Amino acid sequence: MLPREFFDRDTVEVARDLVGKYLVRRYDGHTLAVRLTETEAYVGRMDKACHAYNYRCTSRTKTLFAPPGTAYVYLIYGLHCCLNLVTEPEGEPAAVLIRGGQIRHNGAIIAENRFGCKEECLSAYQKKNLLNGPGKLCAALRIDRSLNGLPYGSGALFVCASLEEAGLPEWPEDRGPLGVKAGKRIGIDYAQEAADFPWRFYLENR
């Protein structure tokens, strides 16, 4: 498991550094793991795309003020959950949105959660769209609003630098240098100048 200090840093740096790490989800005796391929940074003190812009604290955004590493899970369109990991010191509303991943452990359950069928039965379209979005990733890993405010260090949801740290077999193809690219965040055209911040990070070869 990554040390708590990993999240107690500049949010943009954390977002970049999370790419290539492993998100582990444990529930009902299952252990699921994905390699993180896409993230976005949100910084409340100056980012108009952040829910807590200008330190706006509401019943929805109060989790963003929690200690670093806390899970911030919210609904979009009243249907889909999105997972964020709180960053920077407690009281500074900032977080990293987890946008996408690749299956690394228990793909059969991940596919079942997402599409109701086993991994080997997925169509080419389903494979391409399995984890390529924040709502899709949450559905596949059974992440919902019940995990909002989950403290850092919980065994139910955490991030590792390697699969071995979670007691899982490594993927040899993950070894070697990462090609991480940066670009504009997605779906925030309303955020004026913040819409142009290059705070989305993703693997070059996803």
Side-chain angles (χ1 to χ4, degrees), residues 74-92:
Y74 62 86
L75 276 175
I76 54 172
Y77 312 123
L79 296 171
H80 308 295
C81 288
C82 293
L83 170 66
N84 301 253
L85 298 172
V86 174
T87 53
E88 305 199 17
E90 184 175 359
E92 280 293 329

Side-chain angles (χ1 to χ4, degrees), residues 70-136:
T70 301
Y72 172 46
V73 183
Y74 62 86
L75 276 175
I76 54 172
Y77 312 123
L79 296 171
H80 308 295
C81 288
C82 293
L83 170 66
N84 301 253
L85 298 172
V86 174
T87 53
E88 305 199 17
E90 184 175 359
E92 280 293 329
V96 174
L97 171 65
I98 306 302
R99 283 200 57 88
Q102 299 166 328
I103 290 175
R104 287 298 179 263
H105 189 71
N106 255 335
I109 296 176
I110 290 173
E112 186 76 35
N113 288 343
R114 177 82 173 87
F115 286 116
C117 63
K118 298 301 182 184
E119 188 177 7
E120 61 269 20
C121 298
L122 295 174
S123 67
Y125 174 85
Q126 288 172 325
K127 289 178 181 177
K128 181 179 179 181
N129 292 279
L130 185 62
L131 298 170
N132 62 340
K136 299 173 185 179

Side-chain angles (χ1 to χ4, degrees), residues 40-193:
E40 289 180 350
Y42 289 86
V43 182
R45 60 182 170 274
M46 44 74 69
D47 177 8
K48 293 177 181 175
C50 182
H51 293 165
Y53 169 60
N54 201 24
Y55 294 93
R56 181 170 60 246
C57 185
T58 66
S59 58
R60 182 194 195 194
T61 66
K62 63 182 180 181
T63 306
L64 283 168
F65 295 81
T70 301
Y72 172 46
V73 183
Y74 62 86
L75 276 175
I76 54 172
Y77 312 123
L79 296 171
H80 308 295
C81 288
C82 293
L83 170 66
N84 301 253
L85 298 172
V86 174
T87 53
E88 305 199 17
E90 184 175 359
E92 280 293 329
V96 174
L97 171 65
I98 306 302
R99 283 200 57 88
Q102 299 166 328
I103 290 175
R104 287 298 179 263
H105 189 71
N106 255 335
I109 296 176
I110 290 173
E112 186 76 35
N113 288 343
R114 177 82 173 87
F115 286 116
C117 63
K118 298 301 182 184
E119 188 177 7
E120 61 269 20
C121 298
L122 295 174
S123 67
Y125 174 85
Q126 288 172 325
K127 289 178 181 177
K128 181 179 179 181
N129 292 279
L130 185 62
L131 298 170
N132 62 340
K136 299 173 185 179
L137 185 142
C138 282
L141 298 184
R142 289 277 184 95
I143 294 171
D144 57 27
R145 284 278 297 158
S146 69
L147 298 181
N148 183 51
L150 188 74
Y152 178 76
S154 166
L157 187 70
F158 57 93
V159 180
C160 292
S162 70
L163 290 169
E164 186 179 18
E165 292 178 12
L168 303 175
E170 294 285 357
W171 281 60
E173 53 266 48
D174 288 350
R175 295 172 184 161
L178 292 175
V180 180
K181 302 191 74 172
K184 295 180 182 179
R185 295 171 293 178
I186 295 171
I188 57 164
D189 294 342
Y190 60 85
Q192 299 178 354
E193 74 282 351

